Amino acid sequence: MWSIIIVIILSVIAYFITDQLIPNLKDLFINAGLYGVDLCKNSKNKIPEALGVVSGCIFLVTSFTFIPIVFGNGLMDRESFPHNEFAELLAALLSICCMLLLGFADDVLDLRWRYKLLLPTVASLPLLVVYYVNFNSTTFVIPIPFREWLGASINIGFLYYIYMGMLAVFCTNAINILAGINGLEVGQSVIIAISVIVFDIIELRGDQYKAHTFSLHIMLPYLATALALLKHNWYPSKVFVGDTFCYVSGMTFAVVGILSHFSKTVLLFFLPQIINFLYSVPQLFHFVPCPRHRLPKYSAETDLLQASRTVIVKKDMTFLTKTIVQILRIIQLVDVKEDSDTIVMNNLTLINLFLIKFGPMPEVRLVIMLMLFQCLCSCIAFVIRYPMASYFYDT
Ligand code: UD1
Ligand code: MG
């Protein structure tokens, strides 16, 4: 338990260091050409981009400082040194570190989408190797209603490793595509992190307390550095977080989900990201044209955001595109304007969906609504995980 107290103290220090460093380093980023323009504002000021690299570095440094403090006792007594736990922590940090490097490369080089999918797969390899050596449990417990047909559990072998690799790809990219308004990337990550921490605290009394202590060791410094970043990224943003932050966050959640054996619960906390991803699929796979930016459209006259739109030329529409547009129309998930040659519909993101359902609104209200939705989804996740889980699993 004392290791958690140490990590809390280190995290508080990390918060203040990150909070100090971000404004001090802003100009350095602008001078290096790492800046963007806030597309939802009137002013065309340069806003430093990729400041997630600062919070990510402090997060990693805090975790590195923590290693000799927590494993110090073991170093004196080499016989009983917990090699397994040590390897887990190192692999976790290596995967996150890898993602920090690759995310920063993406911010600097603006990589293409196929590489964005490849990077987390490569970065998750150290994690999968440690999982193989330490646990190699590739068994899924079958929910009670399906046991009559499938048995109590099913061993999916190698497919389980593919599932874990895909989890890393999903978590990293899912945060990156639910983005574009001030504070959203960090805000959603902070709520997911708090949800994971609450879940860990509840489970500390259970027999999986070791796994949840491990998760807390990673999540607490992550949360502290993300909160400091949120302070500067909140509306009106003084810095942008960049893909670096999205990748580091996604990988951090994937790491704790995999190594602490609660990847399904982590996915429950990603409910808004899953909805956003499913809704985005037609654009991500180019069945519907996908512009470079799908963030909402800012109207200078009203100072409000409204849904941004994409144009589909009717004569270029395939059967699949027509079917997708028709289904979305029937279930009233798109706002479509049609003339003889073109169909103009909103870009398929959760942010735009909120705007078509609740009408144009100021940026800050939109981000608060999306944050509240994320909180609501976390509450739903806890209901599914606790009261409802007993209907599906022997808890
Ligand atoms: C993802 C989204 C893209 C969205 C972008 C916004 C997909 C497939 N990609 O692309 O639709 O437009 O994120 O981050 O869904 N920006 C703001 N305000 C903010 C945050 C960002 O105006 O609060 C703008 C700035 O110009 C900034 C740029 O977005 O420079 C960063 O975009 P980037 O992270 O490079 O976009 P992607 O992650 O590739
Ligand atoms: Mg991005």
Side-chain angles (χ1 to χ4, degrees):
M1 191 53 79
W2 60 272
S3 67
I4 294 178
I5 296 171
I6 294 176
V7 89
I8 290 175
I9 296 169
L10 289 175
S11 302
V12 172
I13 299 171
Y15 172 87
F16 287 109
I17 295 177
T18 314
D19 183 32
Q20 281 293 313
L21 270 179
I22 290 173
N24 290 343
L25 294 178
K26 265 164 54 176
D27 292 341
L28 216 63
F29 280 73
I30 294 183
N31 293 341
L34 278 171
Y35 59 81
V37 171
D38 198 328
L39 301 170
C40 300
K41 305 278 184 310
N42 263 332
S43 88
K44 295 288 162 257
N45 290 346
K46 290 176 181 174
I47 305 211
E49 178 106 48
L51 265 288
V53 76
V54 177
S55 67
C57 282
I58 303 295
F59 162 44
L60 283 175
V61 170
T62 313
S63 306
F64 293 155
T65 322
F66 171 74
I67 295 175
I69 300 176
V70 167
F71 289 91
N73 280 347
L75 290 177
M76 301 301 148
D77 178 7
R78 293 194 188 179
E79 292 288 300
S80 63
F81 186 79
H83 285 282
N84 287 0
E85 287 169 35
F86 190 53
E88 266 177 42
L89 185 61
L90 288 188
L93 295 179
L94 181 59
S95 286
I96 296 170
C97 192
C98 224
M99 227 44 243
L100 180 86
L101 173 72
L102 298 173
F104 195 57
D106 188 4
D107 276 325
V108 175
L109 305 173
D110 216 355
L111 299 175
R112 307 182 70 164
W113 270 94
R114 54 172 166 270
Y115 300 114
K116 291 188 195 233
L117 297 182
L118 193 67
L119 304 183
T121 319
V122 176
S124 64
L125 285 179
L127 199 68
L128 301 188
V129 172
V130 166
Y131 188 89
Y132 178 75
V133 174
N134 278 6
F135 314 107
N136 196 21
S137 159
T138 51
T139 306
F140 261 117
V141 179
I142 303 291
I144 294 167
F146 302 106
R147 286 193 188 161
E148 208 177 301
W149 302 287
L150 297 169
S153 62
I154 186 165
N155 189 350
I156 58 167
F158 186 67
L159 287 178
Y160 199 86
Y161 287 89
I162 296 189
Y163 156 72
M164 290 187 289
M166 282 171 66
L167 183 76
V169 176
F170 174 76
C171 290
T172 48
N173 286 294
I175 296 176
N176 193 25
I177 62 171
L178 186 53
I181 56 172
N182 291 182
L184 186 57
E185 288 117 310
V186 204
Q188 60 185 301
S189 307
V190 162
I191 294 169
I192 298 173
I194 293 173
S195 309
V196 172
I197 289 172
V198 170
F199 178 63
D200 284 331
I201 293 172
I202 297 172
E203 290 291 318
L204 271 184
R205 279 171 295 157
D207 51 357
Q208 290 291 316
Y209 74 93
K210 269 197 163 170
H212 291 280
T213 310
F214 168 81
S215 167
L216 282 173
H217 289 167
I218 295 193
M219 289 316 301
L220 287 167
Y222 167 79
L223 176 65
T225 50
L227 278 172
L229 184 59
L230 181 61
K231 185 178 158 195
H232 299 274
N233 180 243
W234 187 252
Y235 179 90
S237 289
K238 287 172 224 65
V239 302
F240 287 147
V241 299
D243 294 347
T244 317
F245 175 80
C246 303
Y247 289 175
V248 167
S249 302
M251 192 49 112
T252 307
F253 297 128
V255 158
V256 296
I258 291 170
L259 292 180
S260 302
H261 320 285
F262 58 83
S263 59
K264 280 180 284 177
T265 308
V266 166
L267 280 178
L268 283 179
F269 294 136
F270 268 74
L271 216 57
Q273 288 70 18
I274 293 174
I275 296 170
N276 184 54
F277 170 72
L278 293 177
Y279 188 48
S280 297
V281 161
Q283 284 197 302
L284 295 180
F285 293 99
H286 294 284
F287 302 129
V288 169
C290 182
R292 167 69 183 86
H293 279 292
R294 303 191 296 159
L295 47 75
K297 191 164 174 283
Y298 174 69
S299 151
E301 298 93 66
T302 55
D303 199 28
L304 299 178
L305 296 186
Q306 58 200 43
S308 60
R309 288 166 193 282
T310 184
V311 180
I312 315 174
V313 179
K314 273 189 179 166
K315 66 174 168 49
D316 297 343
M317 277 173 96
T318 61
F319 174 72
L320 198 57
T321 310
K322 278 184 198 149
T323 316
I324 291 169
V325 174
Q326 200 54 35
I327 292 173
L328 287 171
R329 257 176 139 168
I330 292 168
I331 52 179
Q332 299 192 348
L333 284 184
V334 279
D335 182 27
V336 177
K337 288 189 182 74
E338 193 172 350
D339 64 27
S340 53
D341 301 327
T342 57
I343 289 181
V344 180
M345 67 180 215
N346 63 287
N347 282 310
L348 304 171
T349 67
L350 187 64
I351 312 174
N352 286 323
L353 186 61
F354 266 58
L355 287 168
I356 59 169
K357 292 290 170 200
F358 299 106
M361 63 180 99
E363 187 173 0
V364 69
R365 189 191 303 166
L366 182 58
V367 73
I368 290 174
M369 278 183 78
L370 286 159
M371 298 291 84
L372 289 175
F373 182 64
Q374 184 86 44
C375 292
L376 175 73
C377 288
S378 279
C379 296
I380 295 173
F382 276 108
V383 173
I384 296 176
R385 185 61 185 74
Y386 288 109
M388 271 174 66
S390 55
Y391 294 107
F392 295 99
Y393 294 102
D394 315 304
T395 48

